[in-house]
């Protein structure tokens, strides 16, 4: 059975972990504060979950979710992730992360930054456009009439297939946006960011099928990050 490693276990990371455990995956959780700070979450998730350091989560995971503030992306352990499929959930918030000139001028995307840092991993952008409460409530079985889709972007077709299979197992369809250079289409302040799934004030969320997500992605205008 595939193990999902988590580098960062905040709102999105812990939500993905809950969905993964519910789908039968093992998870290894980590954060910047140490494994001992994750014991409550591990206890909640049960025997399929354990806590470790970021390097341990990277080494254990067949798929690794990176969900840290963008300003900390250089701290992600590159050597331990060589050859791994990495799902990058990061968004660029200058007020939190500081100013990244290459994102401001549009010469790079957040996914491309992480891919350059993780030169020997296979980065796929995902989970960055949905509110964590909606992510928790909108999962549906395959074939459900009200199944929701999430966009992904990546440069490696095999890695995107792996991520598509993972999302399918945890309850979501996918819309392939293209290479990491196109992941600006799913970032903050684009049409597909949060809005198709409902407002922040609506914790249950609204299903958004693949057509809805595809149209929102296509409506994006070029922007930074």
């Amino acid at each position: 059975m595939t193990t999902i490693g988590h580098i960062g276990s905040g709102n999105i990371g812990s939500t993905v972990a809950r969905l993964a455990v519910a789908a039968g995956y093992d998870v290894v959780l980590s954060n910047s504060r140490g494994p001992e700070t994750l014991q409550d979450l591990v206890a909640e998730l049960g025997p399929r979950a354990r806590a470790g350091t970021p390097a341990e989560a990277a080494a254990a995971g067949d798929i690794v979710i990176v969900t840290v503030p963008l300003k900390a992306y250089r701290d992600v352990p590159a050597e331990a992730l060589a050859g791994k499929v990495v799902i990058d959930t990061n968004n660029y918030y200058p007020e939190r992360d500081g100013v990244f000139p290459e994102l401001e001028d549009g010469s790079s995307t957040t996914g491309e930054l992480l891919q350059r840092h993780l030169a020997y991993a296979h980065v796929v952008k995902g989970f960055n456009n949905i509110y964590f409460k909606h992510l928790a409530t909108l999962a549906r079985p395959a074939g459900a009439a009200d199944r929701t889709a999430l966009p992904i972007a990546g440069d490696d077709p095999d890695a995107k297939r792996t991520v598509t299979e993972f999302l399918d197992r945890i309850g979501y369809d996918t819309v392939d946006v293209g290479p990491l250079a196109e992941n600006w289409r799913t970032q903050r302040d684009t049409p597909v960011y949060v809005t198709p799934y409902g407002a922040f004030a609506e914790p249950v969320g609204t299903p958004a099928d693949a057509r809805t997500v595809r149209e929102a992605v296509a409506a994006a205008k070029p922007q930074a990050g």
Side-chain angles (χ1 to χ4, degrees):
M1 176 58 67
T2 301
T3 296
I4 310 300
H6 291 262
I7 298 177
S9 300
N11 289 334
I12 286 288
S14 61
T15 300
V16 175
R18 290 183 182 97
L19 293 171
V21 166
Y25 292 98
D26 294 329
V27 300
V28 180
L29 305 162
S30 72
N31 63 18
S32 61
R33 295 175 292 126
E36 65 281 357
T37 66
L38 293 166
Q39 292 312 306
D40 288 347
L41 179 57
V42 168
E44 174 196 335
L45 293 174
R48 289 194 175 276
R50 64 182 175 90
T53 65
E56 289 168 342
D62 300 293
I63 299 171
V64 180
I65 316 293
V66 171
T67 179
V68 299
L70 181 66
K71 64 184 177 182
Y73 84 89
R74 295 181 185 88
D75 296 331
V76 176
E79 184 175 347
L81 288 168
K84 301 290 182 79
V85 173
V86 173
I87 302 179
D88 169 27
T89 78
N90 297 333
N91 281 311
Y92 175 43
Y93 302 103
E95 63 274 19
R96 178 197 65 186
D97 300 314
V99 174
F100 284 66
E102 62 270 57
L103 301 181
E104 293 290 330
D105 65 18
S107 62
S108 186
T109 66
T110 54
E112 288 178 305
L113 286 182
L114 186 63
Q115 181 65 84
R116 282 198 287 272
H117 174 62
L118 304 178
Y120 299 104
H122 310 288
V123 174
V124 177
K125 176 67 75 172
F127 296 120
N128 67 300
N129 72 310
I130 187 168
Y131 183 38
F132 76 97
K133 290 185 178 179
H134 298 163
L135 181 62
T137 63
L138 291 176
R140 300 288 190 275
D146 61 345
R147 207 176 204 219
T148 286
L150 297 174
I152 63 170
D155 297 338
D156 185 301
D158 289 337
K160 286 197 284 189
R161 278 192 289 272
T162 297
V163 172
T164 296
E165 292 169 2
F166 173 60
L167 265 65
D168 180 57
R169 285 280 303 276
I170 67 171
Y172 287 91
D173 291 335
T174 55
V175 170
D176 188 345
V177 173
L180 290 171
E182 293 294 306
N183 88 233
W184 62 267
R185 295 181 177 276
T186 70
Q187 297 283 30
R188 179 187 186 183
D189 299 328
T190 62
V192 82
Y193 181 79
V194 178
T195 301
Y197 312 106
F200 286 115
E202 302 168 356
V204 174
T206 302
D209 64 12
R211 179 178 177 180
T212 298
V213 170
R214 195 173 293 113
E215 289 175 350
V217 167
K221 304 297 183 183
Q223 60 168 266

